[in-house]
Amino acid sequence: MTRKPLVIDCHGHYTTAPEALAIWRERQIAGIKNPDVMPRVSELEISDDDIQNSIETNQLQLMRDRGSDLTIFSPRASFMSHHIGDFSISSTWSAICNELCYRVTKLFPESFAMAAMLPQSPGVDPASCIPELEKCANEYNAVAINLNPDPSGGRWCDPPLWDRQWYPIYEKLVEYDMPAMVHVSSSCNPSFHTTGAYYLNADTTAFMQLLSADLFKDFPSLRIIIPHGGGAAPYHWGRFRGLAQALEKPLLDEHLLNNVFFDTCVYHQPGIDLLTEVIPVKNVLFASEMVGAVRGIDPETGSYFDDTKRYIEASNSLTCADRFLIYEGNARRVYPRLDAQLKARGL
Amino acid sequence: MTRKPLVIDCHGHYTTAPEALAIWRERQIAGIKNPDVMPRVSELEISDDDIQNSIETNQLQLMRDRGSDLTIFSPRASFMSHHIGDFSISSTWSAICNELCYRVTKLFPESFAMAAMLPQSPGVDPASCIPELEKCANEYNAVAINLNPDPSGGRWCDPPLWDRQWYPIYEKLVEYDMPAMVHVSSSCNPSFHTTGAYYLNADTTAFMQLLSADLFKDFPSLRIIIPHGGGAAPYHWGRFRGLAQALEKPLLDEHLLNNVFFDTCVYHQPGIDLLTEVIPVKNVLFASEMVGAVRGIDPETGSYFDDTKRYIEASNSLTCADRFLIYEGNARRVYPRLDAQLKARGL
């Protein structure tokens, strides 16, 4: 425990992809109504140089500035927009976005590992996503997936995460020893601001879905990451402990905390302090979701809101051993395929 | 500041109403499909003795045990079920529930003040609720209302709280100098556990709706209470400060905190500590939502999860003056009609 930990950021999206990607997507969306203008995949041209520039001046620069070593990197969450079009639209779009992330990991193998998005579509059997999942695991060395608990984009029409419709996905995750981060995409419901309400609501919703069921009896080795510090869950941990008791579930330690993990995307010191006080350190994974929802500088600290490493460093209660777990140890345990990749590099 | 504060619990529902109420409601719901079985209002018989028993052995007993003096008391939130039936169903049901709460305040005038539910219905103009609001203010001495931001019960089909459809309600609240607590009812969406996800999501959603708009420019004296400790908002205060900045809004102190208040329905010490550290004391209102969602005893403390007064008392950072504001001072300012009632009693 004497060596410096690798700082692994388990939650980064390719939010800075070259503009050509967004333009192609706009054409694809236009093509849903008017097939004549539907673009071919081959019409999207993004060179390695384009990718390199988009990463070096953004994520990689900030990783160096802030002192993180490796980011688990997935397609831009708000761009997944599973609610747009049908399975075939989602399928083409996922393949493009996943390949781009894979190219990032090939160009910067020391700094990025891949997490895949799935071609989910509202009301479509999630088993339809398995070929893409397998491709990303086998060909792109993906270490995790993002699983959208509400592909409708804010209408919440699909079954809860404990429903058997999701089991084929969980079976594949167990087979590949990959965790899933629960992550919605953009909201098409005017009630929900995407990053200010919908993301956090989805985290809380997913956590409560897991709490109210017994999914991990069926999948004892399945691992789920609830991002954005677990939504409202740690702040209301007493409520959730009390609800588990009322529902005659075991204590949360036993019921959920062998399988559920929270990231540190909480953008102020008191929030991180609460998270690390309430949730066992073994369940906390370092993350910043950078470059993401909150890109500004906090006038109260003079530092970036999403520079979450500062809060971990400034914590009064965490020991060196705790920080080692949060930065590296837990990620290696929760993402065994990442651990294997690091070991193959002699790390 | 030397006298002991009155301990005012700003968030209590009549969750313990005599069983006849639920039976009548079941008949009303059956009557929606089959008008032949629709009950008359006069068929609901609840005596003063029934009410007295239901309160004395529950809320009043717990208030005495825990040391709170007065509860702002409204109809059971999860029973409002605005999504059931149409406006006329909601209207009859609201009138019944509000009258029952009024009778509680008449029987126990020292211990309860009234907050009203509204006869909201999905897709129906909220202005339709004004007659009930006025009746509760004028005849029942209501000091506040509960406003449901999602009368659909988890489908979130109605406009956000900044939409002009809500303005007639806000105008009345300003006229009567009454605040509104934002509070959804039961979830009919299987994605959302009512008290474990939907309530907290609604709080976060409402807060972000207010953050992203400029409602209080139009209603500078309107006051909104976000219950359940503000959902996820205080835990993610850095995120919200950052989003306000990105949306080019003023600092939250100026933008929202003259008008928005958070209650203390957070059921463990670290949550209350975060709330009172992050949110200015002037914006925190004592509450327990007792007898409510979480009725058990916390095995970690040996006390009831929802005995929130213990957490306020045990806080290391609150001064006597802070506790006075949280228990009494803020409530008198936010609920001026309650203040007037207390003054009329020489308090």
Side-chain angles (χ1 to χ4, degrees):
Chain A
M1 215 73 89
T2 45
R3 76 169 166 83
K4 238 180 112 214
L6 271 179
V7 177
I8 299 168
D9 185 332
C10 77
H11 188 174
H13 303 292
Y14 197 3
T15 50
T16 60
E19 214 192 339
L21 182 69
I23 293 169
W24 190 93
R25 174 64 162 171
E26 277 170 30
R27 293 179 57 204
Q28 188 197 32
I29 293 168
I32 296 169
K33 286 197 174 159
N34 178 5
D36 292 346
V37 302
M38 182 64 82
R40 291 190 306 280
V41 173
S42 60
E43 289 176 59
L44 175 62
E45 288 182 36
I46 294 179
S47 70
D48 282 356
D49 275 357
D50 293 337
I51 295 179
Q52 215 146 357
N53 286 335
S54 74
I55 293 288
E56 262 173 357
T57 56
N58 290 299
Q59 286 84 355
L60 204 59
Q61 184 60 50
L62 289 168
M63 287 165 69
R64 284 179 188 136
D65 293 349
R66 299 178 184 184
S68 69
D69 299 298
L70 184 142
T71 298
I72 298 176
F73 205 56
S74 58
R76 186 174 191 167
S78 64
F79 268 31
M80 297 191 296
S81 295
H82 294 118
H83 59 279
I84 296 177
D86 57 11
F87 173 76
S88 134
I89 294 291
S90 272
S91 190
T92 307
W93 178 234
S94 298
I96 286 173
C97 293
N98 283 329
E99 194 202 357
L100 271 182
C101 280
Y102 171 60
R103 289 173 66 194
V104 171
T105 66
K106 290 281 281 181
L107 289 165
F108 303 98
E110 293 182 9
S111 305
F112 294 93
M114 156 126 192
M117 70 176 276
L118 299 182
Q120 296 177 248
S121 196
V124 176
D125 183 351
S128 62
C129 299
I130 287 179
E132 182 70 19
L133 190 162
E134 291 188 315
K135 181 187 74 186
C136 291
N138 295 330
E139 296 172 30
Y140 296 168
N141 302 315
V143 302
I145 62 158
N146 292 336
L147 186 66
N148 186 343
D150 175 30
S152 77
R155 298 293 169 195
W156 292 93
C157 309
D158 285 78
L161 290 174
W162 46 257
D163 189 274
R164 285 187 171 265
Q165 78 146 11
W166 301 100
Y167 274 32
I169 299 285
Y170 301 148
E171 283 158 12
K172 276 292 152 193
L173 292 174
V174 168
E175 180 187 329
Y176 282 102
D177 212 3
M178 286 163 85
M181 179 176 279
V182 170
H183 206 308
V184 288
S185 185
S186 58
S187 161
C188 63
N189 184 328
S191 291
F192 304 132
H193 185 280
T194 295
T195 54
Y198 186 42
Y199 281 12
L200 302 176
N201 292 350
D203 303 332
T204 309
T205 300
F207 182 74
M208 189 63 202
Q209 289 177 357
L210 298 173
L211 188 156
S212 64
D214 296 295
L215 180 63
F216 302 115
K217 281 192 182 160
D218 286 347
F219 295 100
S221 66
L222 179 65
R223 294 175 304 281
I224 305 256
I225 297 118
I226 313 273
H228 321 108
Y235 174 47
H236 287 283
W237 203 240
R239 170 177 288 256
F240 289 103
R241 289 195 291 108
L243 287 169
Q245 187 170 297
L247 294 168
E248 301 185 340
K249 300 294 180 190
L251 294 177
L252 293 185
D253 278 0
E254 181 195 332
H255 183 48
L256 295 180
L257 294 187
N258 294 313
N259 306 86
V260 175
F261 304 86
F262 302 99
D263 80 10
T264 64
C265 293
V266 179
Y267 296 153
H268 64 154
Q269 189 70 46
I272 290 290
D273 290 345
L274 178 130
L275 173 68
T276 53
E277 179 187 355
V278 169
I279 304 299
V281 164
K282 75 176 176 63
N283 295 84
V284 178
L285 295 165
F286 175 69
S288 68
E289 199 170 12
M290 167 275 288
V291 183
V294 181
R295 305 185 182 198
I297 288 174
D298 185 347
E300 292 184 11
T301 64
S303 302
Y304 285 98
F305 282 107
D306 64 4
D307 185 358
T308 52
K309 185 156 174 270
R310 285 180 179 269
Y311 313 131
I312 308 289
E313 292 297 314
S315 159
N316 287 322
S317 64
L318 294 173
T319 65
C320 277
D322 291 339
R323 288 195 182 87
F324 186 90
L325 286 173
I326 291 172
Y327 288 139
E328 174 179 346
N330 294 336
R332 282 180 177 255
R333 208 177 67 249
V334 174
Y335 300 81
R337 289 167 61 95
L338 174 64
D339 184 51
Q341 289 175 19
L342 292 171
K343 282 187 177 137
R345 285 166 48 195
L347 295 169
Chain B
M1 215 72 85
T2 47
R3 76 167 166 82
K4 236 179 112 217
L6 270 179
V7 177
I8 299 169
D9 185 332
C10 78
H11 188 175
H13 303 291
Y14 197 3
T15 50
T16 60
E19 214 193 337
L21 182 69
I23 293 169
W24 190 93
R25 174 64 161 171
E26 277 170 30
R27 293 179 58 206
Q28 188 198 31
I29 293 169
I32 296 169
K33 285 198 174 160
N34 179 4
D36 293 345
V37 302
M38 183 64 83
R40 293 190 304 280
V41 174
S42 60
E43 289 175 61
L44 175 62
E45 287 182 37
I46 294 178
S47 70
D48 282 357
D49 276 357
D50 294 336
I51 295 179
Q52 216 145 356
N53 286 334
S54 74
I55 293 289
E56 263 173 356
T57 56
N58 290 299
Q59 286 85 354
L60 204 58
Q61 184 60 49
L62 289 168
M63 287 164 68
R64 285 179 188 134
D65 292 349
R66 299 178 185 185
S68 70
D69 298 299
L70 184 142
T71 299
I72 298 177
F73 205 56
S74 58
R76 185 174 192 166
S78 64
F79 268 30
M80 298 192 297
S81 294
H82 293 117
H83 59 279
I84 297 177
D86 58 10
F87 174 75
S88 135
I89 294 291
S90 272
S91 189
T92 307
W93 178 234
S94 298
I96 286 174
C97 293
N98 283 329
E99 194 202 357
L100 270 183
C101 280
Y102 171 60
R103 289 172 66 193
V104 171
T105 67
K106 290 282 281 182
L107 288 165
F108 303 97
E110 292 183 7
S111 306
F112 295 93
M114 158 127 191
M117 70 177 274
L118 299 182
Q120 295 177 248
S121 196
V124 176
D125 183 351
S128 62
C129 299
I130 287 178
E132 183 70 19
L133 190 163
E134 291 187 314
K135 182 187 75 184
C136 291
N138 295 330
E139 296 172 31
Y140 296 168
N141 302 315
V143 302
I145 63 158
N146 292 337
L147 186 66
N148 186 343
D150 175 29
S152 77
R155 298 294 169 194
W156 292 94
C157 308
D158 285 77
L161 290 174
W162 45 258
D163 189 274
R164 286 188 172 265
Q165 77 147 12
W166 302 100
Y167 275 32
I169 299 285
Y170 301 148
E171 283 159 10
K172 277 292 151 189
L173 292 174
V174 168
E175 179 187 331
Y176 281 103
D177 212 0
M178 287 162 86
M181 178 177 279
V182 169
H183 206 306
V184 288
S185 185
S186 58
S187 160
C188 62
N189 184 329
S191 291
F192 305 132
H193 185 281
T194 295
T195 55
Y198 186 42
Y199 281 13
L200 302 176
N201 292 351
D203 304 333
T204 309
T205 301
F207 182 75
M208 190 63 203
Q209 288 177 357
L210 298 173
L211 189 155
S212 63
D214 295 295
L215 181 63
F216 303 115
K217 281 192 181 159
D218 286 347
F219 295 99
S221 66
L222 179 65
R223 294 175 304 282
I224 305 258
I225 298 119
I226 313 273
H228 320 108
Y235 174 47
H236 287 283
W237 203 240
R239 171 177 288 257
F240 290 103
R241 288 195 291 108
L243 288 169
Q245 188 171 297
L247 293 168
E248 300 184 341
K249 301 294 179 189
L251 293 178
L252 292 185
D253 277 2
E254 182 195 333
H255 183 49
L256 295 180
L257 294 187
N258 295 313
N259 306 86
V260 175
F261 304 85
F262 301 100
D263 81 10
T264 64
C265 293
V266 179
Y267 296 153
H268 64 154
Q269 189 71 46
I272 290 289
D273 290 345
L274 177 130
L275 172 68
T276 53
E277 180 187 353
V278 170
I279 305 299
V281 164
K282 74 176 176 63
N283 295 84
V284 178
L285 295 164
F286 175 68
S288 67
E289 199 170 12
M290 168 276 290
V291 184
V294 182
R295 304 184 182 198
I297 289 175
D298 185 346
E300 293 184 10
T301 65
S303 302
Y304 285 98
F305 282 107
D306 64 2
D307 186 358
T308 53
K309 186 156 172 270
R310 284 180 180 269
Y311 312 131
I312 308 288
E313 291 298 314
S315 159
N316 287 322
S317 63
L318 295 173
T319 65
C320 278
D322 291 339
R323 288 196 182 85
F324 186 91
L325 286 173
I326 291 171
Y327 287 140
E328 174 180 347
N330 294 338
R332 282 180 176 255
R333 206 177 69 249
V334 174
Y335 300 82
R337 290 167 60 95
L338 174 65
D339 184 51
Q341 290 175 19
L342 292 172
K343 282 188 177 136
R345 285 166 50 196
L347 294 169

